[in-house]
Amino acid sequence: MTDIPQLSEAAFAPIDPEALFPADRSHHAPRILILYGSLRERSFSRFAAEEAARILTRFGAEVRLFAPRGLPLPDAAPVEHPKVAELRDLVSWCEGMVWSSPERHGAVTGIMKSQIDWIPLSLGGVRPTQGKTLAVMQVCGGSQSFNTVNQLRILGRWMRLLTIPNQSSVAQAWDEFDEHGRMKPSPYYNRIVDVMEELMRFTLLTRDIREHLVDRYSERVENHAALSARVNQAKAVE
């Protein structure tokens, strides 16, 4: 069972339990970025996002909400566009995220997807989302659905985010918020508290080891092969 000729010994690394429990841990407030997927004046996804922000702040997080109004369509403007630069700076700043989207035609909104599409997989040689935590939420105009949170989970996995197990789906959102945009006491509100509580725990647990958690054997193999090719090419030139 130990004969593994396919394995690259140079790239293989045994699991180090000590690396999962660093002696030096961060003590600053967890930095959480919240994105929402609607521009409507009475936006229930924004209201839910704002409630999440209040809860996270109460838990001790430093929270910032990105307002998507004015963000151009992906590839319709240069990356230097002020709203694009703002979004990317916030993604680099944060240690975790909350994505809150309405469900429209059984899917995430274009506004939500545009924000995610503007987040690069690599920024200056660094993956800005890799290993950071993510909580997903949706609001529904009718009966409860999970199409949108399921799609957000797929997007989060593609962005290499650590998406927490819990999630929130608010049915008939038009009846869950008062005239001031505050959420009424309900099981739906309680679930949002649950989700933010879990997000805080996962963020505190993983933020100091996020690079270690997503360090992949396959990528070490590729990096080792690229390094070997460069070294051999240099020798050939000499």
Side-chain angles (χ1 to χ4, degrees), residues 24-60:
D24 296 325
R25 301 191 69 88
S26 300
H27 298 287
H28 62 271
R31 299 190 294 263
I32 306 296
L33 169 63
I34 301 181
L35 308 181
Y36 57 88
S38 171
L39 301 181
R40 294 171 57 196
E41 182 177 349
R42 189 165 170 79
S43 165
F44 299 119
S45 66
R46 189 185 80 245
F47 292 162
E50 290 170 348
E51 293 294 355
R54 295 182 184 101
I55 296 164
L56 287 166
T57 301
R58 181 67 180 270
F59 276 128

Side-chain angles (χ1 to χ4, degrees), residues 56-180:
L56 287 166
T57 301
R58 181 67 180 270
F59 276 128
E62 182 181 356
V63 183
R64 299 184 187 177
L65 281 85
F66 176 75
R69 185 173 299 278
L71 183 71
L73 290 173
D75 303 325
V79 296
E80 294 81 13
H81 187 283
K83 290 298 291 187
V84 176
E86 178 190 355
L87 174 60
R88 292 188 171 194
D89 286 346
L90 287 171
V91 171
S92 296
W93 164 84
C94 75
E95 296 167 325
M97 286 194 278
V98 178
W99 293 350
S100 174
S101 177
E103 181 164 310
R104 183 168 295 168
H105 302 310
V108 300
T109 62
I111 292 164
M112 189 78 234
K113 186 63 162 55
S114 291
Q115 294 173 80
I116 296 170
D117 286 346
W118 270 119
I119 301 171
L121 291 174
S122 180
L123 189 61
V126 176
R127 293 188 177 99
T129 54
Q130 177 164 284
K132 297 181 179 182
T133 53
L134 171 66
V136 295
M137 307 194 304
Q138 73 171 83
V139 295
C140 312
S143 59
Q144 191 174 46
S145 168
F146 301 96
N147 292 329
T148 294
V149 287
N150 288 338
Q151 292 167 350
L152 291 174
R153 285 185 177 279
I154 292 172
L155 292 167
R157 184 172 70 242
W158 190 260
M159 303 300 287
R160 297 188 174 187
L161 290 154
L162 304 176
T163 309
I164 67 171
N166 213 340
Q167 61 189 21
S168 168
S169 175
V170 180
Q172 296 182 333
W174 50 268
D175 196 35
E176 295 299 322
F177 296 86
D178 65 21
E179 65 273 19
H180 305 293

